[in-house]
Every structure is written in structure tokens, then in C-alpha cells.
Amino acid sequence: MSQDAHEHKQSFISHYIFSTDHKMIGKQFLLLSTIMACLGGFMAYLIRWEVAFPNVPAPFFGLVSPDKFNAIITLHGTIMIFFVGMPFLSAFPSNFFIPLMIGARDMAFPKLNMASFWLTFAGAVLLVASFFVPGGPVAGGWVGYPPLSASSEFAGVKWGACLWLLALAMAFFSSSLGGLNYLVTAITLRAKGMTYSRIPMTVWFLLASAVTFFFSVGPLIAGDFMLIMDNMFGTGFFLPAKGGEPMLWEHLFWFFGHPEVYVLFFPALGMGLDIMATFTRKPIFGYKLILWSTVSAILLSFIVWAHHMFLSGLNPILATPFSITTILISIPFAIIIFCMLATLRHGSIRLEVPMLWMLGFLATFLVGGLTGIFLGSASVDIYLHGTYFVVAHFHYTLFPSVFFGGFSAVYYWFPKMYGRKLNEKLGLLHLALTFIFFNGTFWPLFRVGIGGMIRRIADPSFYPQYHQFANWNIFATICAISLIASQSVFLWNLVLSMNHGPKAGKNPYQSNTLEWLADSPPPHGNWGPVLPVVTSGPYEYSKPGESEDWHSQASNIKGETVHG
Amino acid sequence: MNSTTASNNHTMIFSVLVVMALSAVGVTFLHLPIVTNNVAIFAIAFVMAGLVFFQYMDLKSEGKLIYWIMIIPFILFGILLVLFIPDVCHFSINFLRRFF
Amino acid sequence: MDKSANLPLTPHYPENEGPEGYNSAPAGLTAGRLGIWALIASEIVLFAGLFGSFILMRMIHPEWSEEARHLNLVAGTLNSLVLLVSNFFMMKASGAAGAENNDNVKKYLVLTMAMGVLFLGVKAFEYTAEFAHGEFPTSGGFWSFYFLMTGIHATHILGGLVALGLLLNRALTGSMGNWKGRVAITGIYWSFVEVVWIFLFPMLYLLA
């Protein structure tokens, strides 16, 4: 049929390194985020070690002196959000699953797609390079508030700060160009018959995440250039001494910052809804209700950002409107979570590994969501701002989205990506360990935060009022170390089953969406000669009067009926 | 619209834009009070931008989707200004105090 | 020598399908057009951040209007007209590409690029004049914003010139082929760069 149906011989370079195949780029993002997760995880271990055992040399690293500590927390935050969260949750599933789930052969702009991976890779290289630069890596906190981050006379770091800012700029360009590519692909390359109401929830939420990102990143790119000029050329955008305004950076940063946390949260919701529909053998509750809640959440997310700045000299008049909008935005997300719970009701739930991970996500995220409401109202935030309560809150929202949501997606789609299933027992062990140690690490931080312990302090033993939290911190550190150690179970499972796992057919979980009609792993062009023609919605599970309890979306391609 | 009407349409629009650009500069030589001067300049700028967006980019023939994609950034620009200014500008605080 | 012989042969696809899949775009909308609109939307928010910060700082520092007097108003106005003219030629080029009149496409693309280069030339002249008077990005808030905003705008013009160069290179091979739609898309991008200058010029030069 068409010229590219035959597998033209690709050299190693064009097949693996400079590939424009959306599946290969998805795997490249997965690999990059895994490597950066190891780096970020090592830093997390150093932070927890220093907080629990101050001035005791940490194994594998040595003494974590206060200035090293500042650099490590800055890099931990930046790496985990921009080089683990964005690639693992927004770039990898979008690249791999948007074309497959809407019945396309590839992205709308394949070369742009490849460029967006290499921009993130360049950003990661720049960030790692900033370790070895004179003056060391950046130490201004991942938020980089000026005047500390605006000139080297305060933070003692000039080249490291500039490299950090350039790495951020690279990550922003990559994610916004990628997001643009996902939007155009989803709108212009849907299979015949795939109307807007037949698009699976994963694709909808990946689009919501992409659109939220590239509409909110503009001001921060502007702020990024301003901060680079402040650091390198000595201009005074954010330096009060030179007539600048430090609050301007905080506005520009958090105008992007808050939509960014929803950008990380949306993919986990979307994939969670699809996984729940598959494993409860039941259509999801309120398809349109969830979509409109997402739209209202996106619009609200642009007018909430100043709740990060209640204590940084924000005009008190503004504290009230931003508290109101912050409390308001919890309503759309509550609706989505309730729709998830309603999907579980009366479902014949198959407690397989992806479903258990998703239930883990639901459980832990609720804690994060509810503590957000405390921090959202100005009156409480005045006491809790800058304490470990905030640290525990955002770990209870980011960790479930990136790790519980991300791992449930990996366990669910691993058969489709590699043709083999991950080992069940190792998966359950990994889930049990991660769930226990994650809660063990961050639950005490709520207690420590309410007690008033300020975050980003290298040596808490120096302050007598924090001696009461020493035991909590030691307990949290032990759980953190075992949490990081238990991730090796997943890495072992990944390597083991990539080549030796049980063979998985096209549709091991008997799911409806289109990607389960392609071979696993799907060949170049995904569908072979004939593109699927969609005849039904993605959630036609246990329709009355049907022998099978699932009904694949496209009828013109013969999927597998028997359990793989 | 076929090519002939398109070409003289472009020239007509082009001349209107040139006139408006020069008039914007002319306004500054009138030494009007500050607020009227700035408002006049930005009014001209908005009209010129609207002309370019709607005419040169033949926005008229675009789908409803494009309207939405183009409206959102301007709304965000408004949000940025409305919620930026009262925080950092002292003169606007007493202006705002009358409402709270 | 006709170089269009070595253009990639477009394989035969069934009805309404392309190399990437089935075309489900709404009528009259292509992937490229939607892509450029989305890019412009995210760029507008970028300039919104820049302009918002400038307006904010301009309200805090009324003394910046004295420093704005040092700007060369004639050069600024000339640049506005240059961009209007280049936009006019760009529209002619996309019209000619639509009508598959390759000679006109080449002529108008060259004229558009000439105007773009002229704009950058006038800008460079202004910068050197300002450096000569000792006005650098570090000499005060107004100048840092001035150089930042005009610098980012000039970079966008450079990007546009690169795209126009690629189009011209393709036009010189004899026929635009399936790149016909891309001239109109670059036209939209070029008009966006024009709109940014329409706001940038009064904000820097004309504010009282």
C-alpha cells in the first residue's frame, strides 16, 4: 500500500537516537526521566540525612555543609519537577499514547517532536554541567527568589545560576513545543469516527496538561531572561538597589507555578480514569461532568497564584480574592475525584497491579488535596507558610501524581510498549513498600510542620525549639531511605521483564481503547495498512445483552478476545 | 475573495495602517495630558492590531477553534495586568481602598 | 538544472489520509495553520508577561519618561513603517503562493526579507547610537527593559527571516509543491511579529 508500510532499513542512529517515531521518543523521555529520578532521589536522601543527622557525614557523599545543602534542595526541586515530573507524566504518555489512542500513525509534526526531546535533554545536560562550574550549582531555592538569586554577591553563585536558568528555559521551550504538537495531533489526526465525545480520558487530560502549560509558561520565560540579564550583565530588574522589584519575579514565577502543578496532576487523573474504567469493567461516571470540571479548573488555575505569596509582601487587599479562588478551585478537583469513586461503585473490580497503584494514588492524593485547602486560606497560611507542613503538602500531591499515577500507567501499558508483562509479585512488593514508606516519610512532616519547623534549614539541632522534632525527623529519614531503596525493586522488575517477562498479547487487560488493537510493541506506523475506524465510545464495558463484558472501539480491526 | 479584490484590499489596509502609525506619533506632539495621551496611543495600537489580526491574517475564514485559541492569551494579559498592578503600585492602593 | 526532480515523491494514500494518519481537522484548517496559531497564542502570553512587567515598572518609576526622550523617535517611526511594508509584501507573497505564481512568490519573498533586514539594520543603528551616548542595558531600569524587549522582538524577526529563507530556497527550486500552504503560515507568523511591534513602539517611544 503506502511507501512507508515496509520497514525501511534504519541505522542504529536514526532508529534509536534521532528517531522521529513517536513511540521511540516516548521511550527516550521515559529513560531520561528515570535517570534524572535516580539523581533527584539521591539528593532527597542527602536532604533527609542532613535534616535527621546534622553535621554527620552522609555515606556515599560526605559532609553536607549548609551551602551544599542549599544547592541540593534547589536541584532536587528543579530536577524532580522539570526533568522527572514533566517528561515522565506529560511527555512520555503524550508521545507514546496520544497517536495510539486516537488511531493515528504518528505525531502531526514528527521532527518538532524529536526536537522537543533533545531540548529537554540539553536542559538536563546544562543542569548537570552546573555542578562542575566555578562557584558550584545554583543555591537560591527551586523558586529562585531574587534578590538572592539575582546576583552572585548574595548567593555566591554566578555561572551555576545562569546555567540553571538556561536549563529551565530549555525545559520550557521543549514542553511548550511538545504540548503544541500534542494539541495539533489530537485535533487533526483522529481516526475516522473518533468524534470529540469518543476520545478517551487519558488523551483529554494530556491535552489539558499541554494547553495549561503553554498558556502559562510565557511570563516565566520573560522572567527567566530578566533573571539571566540580572545575573550576567548586572541589570537591575529584580534588585531593589538598582530600582528593580523582587516581587515582580514572584508574580511571574507563580503565575506559571500554579498552573504547572496542575500540569503535573492532570495526566495522572486522565490515566487513572482510563485504568479505573478498564479494571472495574464499567463506564466511568460522568464523562462530560469531568471534562467541564477540568475546563473550569484550568480557568481557575490562572487566578490563584498569589496564595504562594501571602507572606512575601503581597498587598493585604489581594490576600482575600486569592484565598477565595484557591478554595474555589478545590471544587472541580473534588468533583473529578468523586466521579472516580462513583466509577468504582457497583464495578466488578479486578485488583490487578495497575488498579492497586491507582487506588494508592487516590488514597494518598486526597491527603495532599485536603491539606492544600489549609494552605490556601491566608489566615492559616500566615502560620504555616514556609514550614514543613508545606513540604508535606506538596509531596502528598506531586509524589502520588508522578509516582503512583506514573507507575500505574507503566504497569498498565508496559505490555503494549514491550510486548511482555511486568512480574506481578514484584509489582505488588514494589507497591506495598512504596506506599508504606511514602506515608512513613511525609506523614511526620505534617506534624513537624505544624510544630513550626521552617523548611530549608540545614542544621535543625542549632535551634533549641526544633529539638522536640528530632525523633520525627529520624523516623522520616529512615522511611525515606527505605523508600528510595524500594524503587530498586521496580528497576529490577523493569530490566527482568523487558526480555524475560511472560509474553503479552495485543490486549492483556481486555480494554476498549484503540491502542489495544495494535500489535505490542506496535510497529512503525502503528496500524499496518488499514487505519482503525471508530464505531463506539471508549467505555462500552458490560453492555447488557452482550456475551463479552467489553466492546473494542474500532470494529474493522480484529483484536484479541481471549485473555492474553 | 479572488486575487484582484484581495490585492487592492491589501493596499487599502496597508495605507490605513500607515496613516494610523503616523497619527499615533502625531498625537505625542500635541502634548495632551498624560492619561489622554497614553489612552489615545493605545487605542490606535489596539485598532491597528485588530486590523492586522482580522484582515491580514484573514481571521474571518478561520474556524471557531482558532477564535478560542486566540482569545485566551488576551484574557490572560488582562488577568496579569489587573492582578499585578494593585500589588506593587502604591498609587493604585488608595484607588482600590475606596472599594474595600 | 531543475532541482525539483529530487523532491521526495509523495506516496499514494487512500482518501483523506496522510503519512501521519486520517485527517480529522475541521473544514479549512490544516495542522500547520492550527500549529502556528497555538504557537502565536503562547508567544502572546510571553509578550504579555514582558509588557505587563514594563507597564508595572513604568507606573512605579514616572522618571522613566525623561529617559524615553533619548530614544530616536524618527528611527522608531521608520521601523514601524518598514514592518508595515514588509507585512504588505508578505501578504502579497502568500497570495502569489496561493495562485501558484512562482515568480511573484520569489519576488515578494525577497522584498519581505529585504524589509526585515532593513528593520534589523535600523535597530542596530539605534543600538550603536545609544551605546555611543552611554546608554547600556545596565544604565537603569528603563534601558534594561528597552534592550530586553526590543532584543526579544529582534530575535523573533531573525527567526522569521530564517523561515522566509527556507521558503525562498524552496521557491528557487522551481515550484513550491506541497509547501504552498507554508507561505501563508509564515505570513501569519510575520503578521504576529508586526502586531508585537505595533504595541512595543508606542509603549517605549510614545508614552508621556
Side-chain angles (χ1 to χ4, degrees), chain A residues 290-339:
Chain A
I290 291 175
L291 279 188
W292 288 110
S293 307
T294 314
V295 168
S296 56
I298 292 174
L299 296 179
L300 273 171
S301 76
F302 284 106
I303 45 175
V304 280
W305 79 84
H307 59 235
H308 297 274
M309 298 156 54
F310 285 143
L311 257 78
S312 50
L314 185 74
N315 177 346
I317 292 176
L318 283 177
T320 332
F322 279 108
S323 296
I324 295 168
T325 49
T326 307
I327 309 281
L328 260 179
I329 200 167
S330 56
I331 295 173
F333 288 114
I335 290 174
I336 295 173
I337 299 282
F338 285 138
C339 286

Side-chain angles (χ1 to χ4, degrees), chain A residues 238-267:
Chain A
F238 305 122
L239 292 170
K242 297 179 180 166
E245 180 51 61
M247 282 290 288
L248 182 58
W249 164 267
E250 290 178 33
H251 274 295
L252 293 177
F253 183 87
W254 287 116
F255 180 85
F256 157 78
H258 205 77
E260 164 68 12
V261 301
Y262 294 125
V263 164
L264 289 169
F265 175 48
F266 280 142

Side-chain angles (χ1 to χ4, degrees), chain A residues 187 215 219 245 247 251-252 302-303 305 313-315 317-318 322, chain B residues 65 69 72-73 76 79-80 83-84 86-88 93 96-97 100:
Chain A
I187 288 175
F215 275 136
E245 180 51 61
M247 282 290 288
H251 274 295
L252 293 177
F302 284 106
I303 45 175
W305 79 84
L314 185 74
N315 177 346
I317 292 176
L318 283 177
F322 279 108
Chain B
L65 188 66
I69 287 187
I72 291 173
L76 293 181
I79 289 172
L80 257 176
L83 291 176
F84 247 14
D87 174 43
V88 183
I93 290 175
L96 265 177
R97 191 153 279 133
F100 287 98

